[in-house]
Amino acid sequence: MSKSFKTFLKHTAKDFHNHSVNPPVVRASTIIFKSMQEIRKTQRRAIKDPTGGHFDYARAGTSTTYVLQKILTELEECYHVFVAPSGMASIFLAIISVVRPGDEIIISDPVYSPTRILTQNFLKEFNIKTNIYNPYDLNTLEENINNRTKLIYVENPGSNSFEFQDLEKIISIAKKNKILTVMDNTWATPYYFKPIKFGFDMAIVSATKYYSGHSDVMGGSLAVNKKVFDRVKISEKITGFRLGPDDAYLIIRGLRTLDVRLDRHSENAKKIAKFLSTYKNIEILYPYKKNSLNYKMWKKYYSGASGLIGLKIKSNNINSVRKFVNSLKLFGYGYSWGGFESLVLHQEIRETGKRKFMNVTKNQHLVRLHIGLEDPKDLIDDLKQALKKLK
Ligand SMILES: *Cc1c(COP(=O)(O)O)cnc(C)c1O
């Protein structure tokens, strides 16, 4: 990439044919050709360059989807990026592309709860076994490896508990044992960390979050290296996981400002973390405290941190924690995150999933904040008044 990615994002995908700054939304099922020969020519081109945008039927997308894939391939600095209708669809696509009945997967304990249900419960019915490792003890990863292990599934940081793992060590264990790796990189996006460049075979981002950035569309991306490309391509084609052109357009539109938004989310989150650090009964699950293990592991690999923060609140009075959360006025109550607006969630088992290694005692309570693009002074004032409820 010669230009900076920030510049590339603003200039890419101009449509000089239609004289518009943005690409058109091409809605199609049938892709129409002038002749049968032209169809064959397109198909031959697709064989020669399978990563190119040569469509003969719109289940593979249209030129709008292809523009999005090209932007994401540039952002990830990888071989190719597939796009799917949701983050979960990308996760499913990644796993079923490389795992077969009889195989085993190893997942990090703090994965996104639906990922855990998908692997542990749903795939079990297809005779695929899931083992779990402790994100802070990679011996538990090595211990679970056997000759049926096909995939190591990492989510970093841990979902809702924000453990930062030693990614270099994970890749080295995987390479030594010739096992494929995938990382859910939704928290940072490749703007702050590029998993494929680092050595992962596949990388997932829920485009529903920061890529779209406006809480109005769902999507998912799956970045791959050359080694797994063919397998994912075949799975994608037969499953029909296809992102619609209107959704692709909205994600492209969101991506134009990904850098600006993420930098601001990050700046605001740091201010909130600093403010909250004065509360002795709150542990902040965010990489800001120098010398902590999480900070070191984050610093080693990431160029920035996003706007999603966890709070571990020490209190013998769970009702006061609920009161604190319910007294917030500028934080919306709702799932998802990554939009321009602030959100809060009180985390119970429903949100975290049943963990094997999580270190939360009875008098500790998890709250997740997504720090939006509001004026941080207002967010701090809001937190200040709500925290008075905490006992
Ligand atoms: C939201 C999320 C997903 C799933 O994405 P959807 O687009 O909601 O399907 C996967 N992983 C992480 C870390 C997420 O936050």
Side-chain angles (χ1 to χ4, degrees):
M1 197 170 17
S2 54
K3 284 191 290 290
S4 133
F5 184 73
K6 287 171 184 271
T7 307
F8 167 82
L9 267 179
K10 311 301 175 287
H11 286 262
T12 190
K14 286 177 182 164
D15 184 50
F16 289 104
H17 181 73
N18 293 302
H19 300 281
S20 76
V21 173
N22 286 298
V25 178
V26 177
R27 299 191 185 94
S29 53
T30 296
I31 308 288
I32 199 133
F33 295 85
K34 287 192 186 112
S35 66
M36 203 59 218
Q37 286 96 307
E38 204 192 349
I39 291 188
R40 296 289 177 247
K41 214 165 104 189
T42 302
Q43 291 165 338
R44 277 197 299 276
R45 270 214 319 265
I47 292 166
K48 262 196 201 148
D49 171 18
T51 68
H54 318 290
F55 317 103
D56 57 3
Y57 182 46
R59 197 164 55 220
T62 68
S63 60
T64 314
T65 338
Y66 186 53
V67 166
L68 172 61
Q69 289 175 274
K70 268 180 76 170
I71 294 172
L72 294 180
T73 305
E74 193 87 10
L75 173 58
E76 295 266 9
E77 295 185 51
C78 70
Y79 187 67
H80 190 68
V81 175
F82 296 91
V83 288
S86 70
M88 274 317 290
S90 326
I91 291 169
F92 190 63
L93 182 63
I95 296 174
I96 54 138
S97 296
V98 299
V99 172
R100 290 292 171 268
D103 291 346
E104 294 189 8
I105 308 171
I106 309 177
I107 62 169
S108 56
D109 190 39
V111 291
Y112 180 60
S113 163
T115 304
R116 196 183 187 102
I117 296 164
L118 167 69
T119 48
Q120 265 196 315
N121 307 359
F122 186 81
L123 292 178
K124 190 177 166 203
E125 295 184 38
F126 296 85
N127 192 24
I128 292 162
K129 190 179 168 207
T130 297
N131 301 291
I132 292 163
Y133 75 88
N134 180 343
Y136 288 145
D137 177 9
L138 297 179
N139 289 327
T140 60
L141 172 60
E142 280 193 290
E143 278 160 21
N144 275 303
I145 293 175
N146 61 51
N147 56 12
R148 291 183 297 278
T149 310
K150 287 288 143 57
L151 183 66
I152 296 171
Y153 188 106
V154 181
E155 181 173 328
N156 207 54
S159 197
N160 298 327
S161 42
F162 303 93
E163 299 89 342
F164 282 85
Q165 307 175 45
D166 193 344
L167 301 175
E168 201 170 353
K169 191 145 182 230
I170 294 172
I171 293 294
S172 114
I173 293 170
K175 294 222 159 121
K176 193 173 80 196
N177 292 283
K178 297 195 168 55
I179 297 166
L180 294 171
T181 46
V182 57
M183 175 169 164
D184 184 332
N185 189 33
T186 303
W187 182 85
T189 84
Y191 180 62
Y192 289 140
F193 176 70
K194 298 180 195 296
I196 306 293
K197 226 178 138 190
F198 186 78
F200 282 88
D201 296 293
M202 299 183 277
I204 291 145
V205 175
S206 165
T208 309
K209 314 289 165 55
Y210 287 121
Y211 281 180
S212 94
H214 293 76
S215 309
D216 55 1
V217 60
M218 295 192 77
S221 73
L222 175 58
V224 298
N225 64 13
K226 199 168 177 189
K227 189 161 136 197
V228 297
F229 171 79
D230 285 338
R231 279 181 269 180
V232 180
K233 177 89 189 162
I234 290 165
S235 308
E236 189 222 20
K237 206 168 168 179
I238 51 153
T239 54
F241 282 157
R242 168 191 187 271
L243 182 70
D246 291 277
D247 293 344
Y249 181 87
L250 285 172
I251 296 167
I252 293 166
R253 180 165 151 155
L255 280 168
R256 298 284 194 197
T257 55
L258 178 74
D259 53 327
V260 183
R261 286 184 290 105
L262 265 174
D263 287 345
R264 181 65 178 272
H265 281 293
S266 182
E267 216 176 278
N268 284 2
K270 264 188 222 139
K271 285 181 184 154
I272 304 289
K274 192 169 168 222
F275 160 71
L276 289 170
S277 68
T278 57
Y279 289 77
K280 294 284 167 285
N281 50 346
I282 301 178
E283 184 187 336
I284 300 156
L285 310 175
Y286 192 71
Y288 85 103
K289 206 170 165 182
K290 290 190 178 107
N291 299 326
S292 68
L293 176 65
N294 279 337
Y295 182 86
K296 280 181 197 153
M297 285 298 132
W298 166 76
K299 189 80 189 158
K300 192 169 170 193
Y301 304 116
Y302 290 76
S303 66
S306 71
L308 199 66
I309 296 185
L311 310 180
K312 200 194 259 183
I313 300 173
K314 212 167 146 189
S315 166
N316 290 318
N317 184 342
I318 188 169
N319 280 330
S320 82
V321 178
R322 291 192 180 119
K323 260 192 199 145
F324 150 58
V325 171
N326 286 327
S327 304
L328 289 164
K329 297 195 170 65
L330 294 176
F331 291 77
Y333 305 98
Y335 289 94
S336 199
W337 47 280
F340 50 83
E341 83 291 11
S342 290
L343 292 168
V344 63
L345 272 182
H346 184 198
Q347 307 277 306
E348 295 187 3
I349 194 82
R350 187 190 170 89
E351 283 76 27
T352 55
K354 276 208 179 90
R355 301 273 175 92
K356 207 170 156 182
F357 299 104
M358 196 162 69
N359 201 5
V360 179
T361 56
K362 241 190 151 159
N363 66 344
Q364 292 176 326
H365 313 276
L366 290 179
V367 169
R368 189 182 79 183
L369 298 176
H370 177 250
I371 307 302
L373 304 177
E374 298 91 341
D375 188 327
K377 282 199 219 83
D378 291 333
L379 296 177
I380 287 172
D381 283 348
D382 193 22
L383 284 162
K384 219 182 249 171
Q385 63 81 21
L387 279 165
K388 290 196 178 123
K389 306 279 194 267
L390 202 59
K391 289 196 184 95

